Structure formats: structure tokens, C-alpha cells
Amino acid sequence: MDINNLFEELENLKKEVWYLIKKTIPKLEELINGSSSKELEEIKNQLQNALLDIENLKSQINSIDGKIDTTNENVSTLQNNFQTLSNTINNLSQSLTTLQQTVSTNSSNISNLTNSVNTNSSDIDSLNNSVSEMALNMQNLSNSVSSNTSKLNNLETTVSSNSSKIQQNETSISTLQSKITTIENVNNEQETKISSLQSSVSSIESTNSQQNESISSLADSISSLTSSISSLQTEIENAKKENCEIIYDMYSEDASINYGFTSGAKGGSYFVLDFTKYHSVRIFARLQTANVVQEVKILDRKLGDVTLTGAGGSPSSLYILKIILGIAPLYNRLQVGYYGKYTFSTNGTFTLETGASNDYFYIYRLEGIIK
């Protein structure tokens, strides 16, 4: 039974009681012809009171209409109580119907009607008690609603706080997503760099392979160079065994050795001595920026002309210094001759410089090798 049915049944009950008061009781009075009017008046008053109780009940029910929906258990109890009330009212209606039938046939049944009314009065008292219990239940229900309202307010506060936290979390998530995007961009850059490094590693590995081949070739060259060095060391050792005399040295303080050419023997300078006692002469000379050491045999030469040659660091310049060393039968003279400087510029032009003497073209040492 829901609240709408309850209102409808109460309204029907009100109409039935009103009908009893306004229609049925007066007819009973007419049938009884004025006898037992006190008892009928009492029944009428009781029914009138029942109608007032029903109005009060309806008013109470209207005042708690908005609260009944929140508690199913109390509503169930109310439904049971209203069901009992409905049953009682149905019983009262049946009793009144029986009374009406009995009065129409035999006035003595008024006593039974009185008993029935008394029984109904007891039921109405029970109904009043039920209504009191319902009022108490409604009060408990109101207290429960008040408690639930407080809890609901707390819940709303919690929801509001959680909403604020959720907004903060959304902001943090947005920031985190931005950082993740930045990390992904950095990661992509790192992957690009790794790819480039892998290419570089591949290139390095290829270069390393070539270098290994070069190293192998270099090792062979070193081996050959070692052999050459060993041979050179042998020659040096043999050279050390040579019987060598210093013929001229510009740095010597001995006049018989520096010949007065303390700045070097330049073009036009000469040395007169017997060269036949030497196997060969070793000439040390400066040609502009080149250092030249050349060994010349004394015997078995067809011409006395000797050419010392050197080159610049580029080498875009070539240098020469002419030496005249006597031949048979006059092995007694060594003379410094003309110099020459040949320069090639970057634009393809050629420059020649030559002359009898130059401060940067000279002999600074002579050694005589004796057999």
C-alpha cells in the first residue's frame, strides 16, 4: 500500500462515516421510532469522533508526506498499520451493514448494533494508538532525516573537497602530460642522435678497418724502416771507422781551419791544398733555407764542376750553389762559385735570381775522408 492509496482509502472511510452519520443513522432513528435515542446519539458521537480522528490522521499524514519516501522500513510499518486500520474500518462497515439489515427486520438487533459499535470504538481506540505510534515513528523518522541531512552536508563538503583535489590532480596531470611530451621530444632527439652515432660508429668501424690495413702496411713499412735503420747504423758505424779530417769549419777559432771565412765561404772564396790524400770531400752548405750535405769523390771525375741543390719548404723554390773542385792532374783547389734561386709563384709565374755571392748561400764546413 502506497501513500496515494492510503489517502484514497482514508477519504473513502471519511465518506462512509459521513454517510453513516448523515444517512444511515437518521434512517435507523426513523425505523426505531425514537427508541434508544441516547444510544444512537452516542454511536453518532463516536462516529463523529472517528471522523475527527480520521481528519487529524489525514492532517498528520499530509505533514509527513515529504519525509516518508526516505525510509522504506518505517513506510512498511505504516503500511501494515494502515492495513490494520483498513481491515478494522472494513469490519466496521460490515458490522454497520449487518446492523442496518437487522434493524429493518427486528428492532431488537439494535443491541447487537450497540455491541458492534462498542467493538468498533475499541478498534478506533486501537487506531488512535496506532496513530500515536505512527507519530512517534514519524518523529524518529524526522530525527533520522535530520541525521541523514547532517551526513549529507558532510558528504557534500567531502565531495567539494574531493572536487578541488580532482581539479588540482587534473592540473598536475596536464603538467605531467606536458612534461611527458617534452620527454618524448627529447627521446626522439636522442634516438636521432643515437641513429647518427650508429652511422658514425659504422663509419668509424669502416675507417678502423682501413686503419687496420694501414697499420698493417705501416708495420711492414716499419719493418722495412727498421731494416734500413739497421743498415744505416751499420753505415754509421763504418763511417765512425772512417779516417776523417776537418778541412774547414766557420765556427772554429783556429785560423788554419776557419780560413778567415767566419761567416761562411761564399761565392768567390776558395781553398788551396793537396786533395789527393783524401778519398772524398764531404761538403756542408746552406742554400737559402735548405741545408745540404754532399760527398764528392776526389779521383776519377771527368769534370771539376759540382752542383749543390736544395729546395724551399713549399717546395715552390729551388736553390743551387756551384762548386769547382780541381781534377787531374791539379787536385789542389776547391772554389765556391755562383748561386741560383728559382721561384714559382701561385699564379704560375717564374722568377730567377742568380749571382756571384749571397749571404744565404755558403759553405760552412768541409771534411776530408781518408782511405
Side-chain angles (χ1 to χ4, degrees), residues 215-229:
I215 290 172
S216 176
S217 176
L218 181 60
D220 294 338
S221 299
I222 290 173
S223 177
S224 176
L225 181 60
T226 301
S227 176
S228 299
I229 291 173

Side-chain angles (χ1 to χ4, degrees), residues 79-267:
Q79 288 175 345
N80 293 332
N81 290 334
F82 281 122
Q83 184 64 43
T84 302
L85 176 61
S86 177
N87 293 334
T88 302
I89 292 173
N90 289 334
N91 292 332
L92 177 59
S93 178
Q94 291 175 359
S95 298
L96 288 174
T97 300
T98 302
L99 178 61
Q100 183 179 7
Q101 292 175 352
T102 303
V103 168
S104 64
T105 58
N106 192 354
S107 60
S108 63
N109 289 332
I110 293 175
S111 177
N112 293 331
L113 176 61
T114 301
N115 293 332
S116 296
V117 170
N118 290 333
T119 300
N120 290 334
S121 296
S122 176
D123 290 337
I124 291 173
D125 290 338
S126 177
L127 177 61
N128 288 332
N129 293 332
S130 297
V131 170
S132 297
E133 291 178 0
M134 286 195 313
L136 180 61
N137 290 335
M138 290 305 159
Q139 183 63 40
N140 293 334
L141 179 59
S142 177
N143 294 335
S144 177
V145 169
S146 177
S147 176
N148 289 334
T149 300
S150 176
K151 291 180 180 179
L152 181 59
N153 291 333
N154 293 333
L155 180 59
E156 289 177 348
T157 302
T158 302
V159 169
S160 177
S161 176
N162 289 337
S163 297
S164 177
K165 292 180 179 178
I166 289 172
Q167 291 178 352
Q168 294 176 357
N169 289 335
E170 288 177 349
T171 302
S172 299
I173 289 171
S174 178
T175 303
L176 182 59
Q177 287 176 341
S178 178
K179 292 182 178 179
I180 289 173
T181 301
T182 302
I183 291 173
E184 288 177 348
N185 292 334
V186 172
N187 184 53
N188 291 333
E189 292 178 358
Q190 294 298 327
E191 288 179 352
T192 302
K193 291 181 179 179
I194 289 172
S195 177
S196 177
L197 287 174
Q198 287 176 343
S199 299
S200 298
V201 168
S202 298
S203 177
I204 290 172
E205 288 177 348
S206 176
T207 303
N208 186 50
S209 176
Q210 294 175 358
Q211 288 179 346
N212 288 336
E213 294 177 358
S214 299
I215 290 172
S216 176
S217 176
L218 181 60
D220 294 338
S221 299
I222 290 173
S223 177
S224 176
L225 181 60
T226 301
S227 176
S228 299
I229 291 173
S230 177
S231 176
L232 181 60
Q233 286 176 341
T234 301
E235 293 180 2
I236 291 173
E237 290 296 328
N238 292 333
K240 288 180 180 179
K241 296 176 183 180
E242 291 178 342
N243 189 359
C244 178
E245 285 184 353
I246 297 176
I247 300 173
Y248 163 71
D249 188 350
M250 63 179 284
Y251 300 107
S252 176
E253 296 180 358
D254 188 346
S256 63
I257 295 177
N258 63 37
Y259 283 84
F261 307 134
T262 55
S263 296
K266 302 179 181 63

